[in-house]
Every structure is written in structure tokens, then in C-alpha cells.
């Protein structure tokens, strides 16, 4: 455990870490901030390269915080103890758990993604709000989505707020960023049935079958999806809107689609199991 407590807000390591709140600085340094015990636990589980971890002993009040610090020490991660004032400068948000890591940014590409048999894949285009992105990641993790691809310049997978909103699942899911055209070509090469969520679609989301290899494509609420997703092999689907609003929050829409696919697949599995028993 660290022997010296950093109390200066002008410490070079503290200043460099605090700069990682900014996307341009993250790109410049090739590093990201991971704030929180659950998030750090999943980062460790996923083999993320942790450069250093700042901790504030008075804020490490939970058993989870103690466990994470113990695991970090066991793995030989560089631990830096800081004062509460310094930690406040570093922390992102109000949920101060006393542990914050600096890690090398994961550099996964489409070619690195290994899909399982009968995969479910999510594609998000132009999702700029990190809270929405993180919420989609949590739903994807819960519903068994195999991979998530972010397209569009505004989507920032490793925004500290997105990491926290995902509860660290951004590290355990297979995720990457890629241009829309490249992503579409990859989906076709993987032989996935592509379904794009559009408010003007004629088919409701419950009509198609998602029992086979499937990809859901969702866009931002303001701009929607680009013309890249209007090909003849892309099926447009919609969620019914019975009120005055014309769209759902993307995290809600994504969760509905993911769980409809899960429902269909589990029902199909039960029916198949029933047929085998009858035979």
C-alpha cells in the first residue's frame, strides 16, 4: 500500500489524471479514467491495463472498496494514496467510493470481435450522451448481447460518465468503434439479419423473428439513423408510440429490443426441448 499521501492539487500525476475528463486529452494520452469499485473490479476481470490507481482511505468505507484495493495490491498495480481534497478533484460525479483508476484505452477493432454461435449484436449510431450509452451497455450485458459497435464521431465509449453508467460492463462486453459503412459490411460478412429501429417503419418490433443471428441498429433521438442503414437487406422496425411523444429514450428502446430477442430465443429453446421430450 502507498506510503506517502499526495495532498497537492498541483501534483503532476494528479493534474494529468484530472485532464482525462476531457475527450481530447484522453485521445492525446491514450488513457481513460475508471471511477468506482464495481467499474474497477470489472476492468480487472476483463484484463484492462491499469496504469495507476488513486485511493482515498477515508472514503474507502465499503467491503467492496477494501476488496478491490487488496486485489490491486496483489496484482502489483501502482497505488497512490491521496487526500480527500485531491480525490474530489479527480472523481467524476457524486458517487465517491474512494478508488479511481487510470488505464490504457482499449483498442479493440471489428476484426478483434469473436462472435458466438447465433449472436445478438447491437449497433449504436451517433449516441452522444454518455449516460444513455452506459445504460444501453447495461441492458446489452443483461440480455446477453454478444457485441456492441458504436458508429459516428460523437459516440465516446470510454467517457468516464459512460463507464460509470454502464457499471463497468463496457469492459466485459465486446465493444468497439467503427465507421457505419465498415460496420455494415462486417454485419453482412457475419451473416446477421439486420434490423434498424426507425419511427417511420411499417413493421412493429414484435413481427420479425430474432431467433437467428441478429443485429439491432439504433440511432440518436434527434438525428435518427443515417442513410447507410437504408439498404435492401436492412429491415426497418418500430416501437409503437401511443401517446403524444414521438420517440423513446434510446436506452429504453434498446432494452425493449434486446429483451424481445431474448424472449423469442428462450421460447424457441423451450419449444425445442419440449419436442425432444415428445420424441
Amino acid at each position: 500500500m502507498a506510503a506517502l499521501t499526495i495532498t497537492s492539487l498541483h501534483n503532476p500525476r494528479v493534474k494529468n489524471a484530472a485532464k482525462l475528463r476531457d475527450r481530447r486529452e484522453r485521445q492525446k494520452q491514450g488513457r481513460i479514467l475508471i471511477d468506482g469499485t464495481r467499474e474497477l473490479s470489472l476492468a480487472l476481470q476483463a484484463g484492462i491495463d491499469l496504469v495507476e490507481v488513486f485511493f482515498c482511505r477515508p472514503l474507502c468505507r465499503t467491503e467492496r472498496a477494501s476488496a478491490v484495493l487488496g486485489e490491486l495490491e496483489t496484482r502489483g498495480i501502482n497505488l497512490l494514496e491521496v487526500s480527500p481534497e485531491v480525490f474530489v478533484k479527480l472523481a467524476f460525479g457524486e458517487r465517491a467510493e474512494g478508488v479511481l483508476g487510470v488505464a490504457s484505452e482499449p483498442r479493440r477493432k471489428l476484426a478483434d470481435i469473436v462472435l458466438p454461435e447465433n449472436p445478438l449484436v447491437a449497433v449504436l449510431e451517433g449516441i452522444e450522451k454518455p449516460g444513455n450509452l452506459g445504460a444501453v451497455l447495461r441492458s446489452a450485458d443483461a440480455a446477453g448481447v454478444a457485441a456492441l459497435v458504436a458508429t459516428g464521431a460523437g459516440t465516446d465509449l470510454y467517457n468516464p460518465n459512460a463507464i460509470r453508467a454502464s457499471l463497468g460492463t463496457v469492459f466485459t462486453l465486446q465493444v468497439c468503434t467503427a465507421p457505419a459503412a465498415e460496420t455494415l459490411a462486417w454485419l453482412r460478412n457475419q451473416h446477421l439479419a439486420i434490423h434498424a429501429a426507425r419511427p417511420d417503419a411499417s413493421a412493429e418490433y414484435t413481427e420479425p423473428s430474432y431467433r437467428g443471428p441478429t443485429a439491432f441498429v439504433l440511432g440518436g433521438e434527434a438525428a435518427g439513423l443515417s442513410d447507410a442503414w437504408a439498404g435492401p437487406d436492412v429491415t426497418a422496425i418500430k416501437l409503437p408510440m401511443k401517446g403524444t411523444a414521438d420517440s423513446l429514450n434510446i436506452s429504453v428502446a434498446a432494452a425493449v429490443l434486446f429483451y424481445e430477442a431474448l424472449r423469442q430465443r428462450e421460447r424457441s429453446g423451450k419449444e425445442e426441448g419440449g419436442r425432444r421430450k415428445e420424441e
Side-chain angles (χ1 to χ4, degrees):
M1 200 66 75
L4 180 65
T5 302
I6 298 173
T7 59
S8 173
L9 297 175
H10 303 291
N11 179 281
R13 283 181 165 173
V14 171
K15 291 174 69 175
N16 283 334
K19 289 178 182 178
L20 295 175
R21 295 181 180 185
D22 181 76
R23 184 178 187 180
R24 286 176 294 181
E25 192 65 30
R26 291 196 296 276
Q27 292 173 336
K28 178 182 175 182
Q29 293 189 34
R31 294 180 174 182
I32 60 174
L33 278 181
I34 306 174
D35 189 356
T37 55
R38 285 172 293 190
E39 294 78 1
L40 277 168
S41 290
L42 290 183
L44 284 168
Q45 178 181 319
I48 299 300
D49 178 24
L50 285 165
V51 178
E52 58 193 14
V53 173
F54 298 90
F55 74 98
C56 179
R57 202 179 299 275
L59 297 177
C60 294
R61 306 183 186 98
T62 65
E63 291 183 8
R64 180 179 289 171
S66 297
V68 168
L69 283 174
E71 185 173 359
L72 290 166
E73 188 172 23
T74 298
R75 295 194 183 201
I77 306 297
N78 187 24
L79 292 173
L80 303 169
E81 185 171 356
V82 298
S83 66
E85 293 76 17
V86 171
F87 195 84
V88 167
K89 179 178 180 177
L90 293 170
F92 200 93
E94 299 178 357
R95 197 185 80 215
E97 295 180 298
V99 188
L100 179 145
V102 174
S104 299
E105 181 177 354
R107 300 290 188 180
R108 183 183 283 121
K109 299 178 181 178
L110 280 172
D112 300 323
I113 293 177
V114 179
L115 295 180
E117 183 180 354
N118 198 26
L120 181 62
V121 172
V123 178
L124 304 182
E125 182 177 65
I127 309 305
E128 297 184 3
K129 294 182 179 179
N132 285 343
L133 176 59
V136 174
L137 285 160
R138 286 175 67 181
S139 295
D141 172 76
V145 173
L148 183 146
V149 183
T151 71
T155 306
D156 184 8
L157 277 174
Y158 298 106
N159 179 294
N161 223 8
I163 294 173
R164 296 209 80 174
S166 80
L167 296 183
T169 55
V170 67
F171 301 123
T172 52
L173 276 169
Q174 295 189 92
V175 301
C176 73
T177 59
E182 183 180 335
T183 302
L184 180 57
W186 180 78
L187 294 174
R188 287 169 172 162
N189 189 54
Q190 299 294 326
H191 306 293
L192 300 176
I194 306 170
H195 299 269
R198 293 184 180 276
D200 58 351
S202 57
E204 292 200 358
Y205 77 101
T206 52
E207 294 178 28
S209 170
Y210 310 125
R211 292 178 174 87
T214 298
F216 288 124
V217 187
L218 301 101
E221 296 167 49
L225 290 173
S226 68
D227 292 340
W229 305 102
D233 58 343
V234 178
T235 302
I237 54 174
K238 67 179 179 182
L239 278 70
M241 302 294 298
K242 303 300 185 181
T244 56
D246 60 1
S247 67
L248 288 172
N249 180 283
I250 186 173
S251 63
V252 175
V256 170
L257 295 178
F258 297 161
Y259 275 93
E260 173 60 16
L262 180 61
R263 183 193 69 81
Q264 289 188 17
R265 290 169 176 220
E266 289 187 339
R267 181 175 180 179
S268 178
K270 289 177 181 177
E271 291 174 350
E272 180 65 27
R275 284 193 293 269
R276 288 177 181 173
K277 286 182 180 180
E278 291 175 0
E279 293 172 358

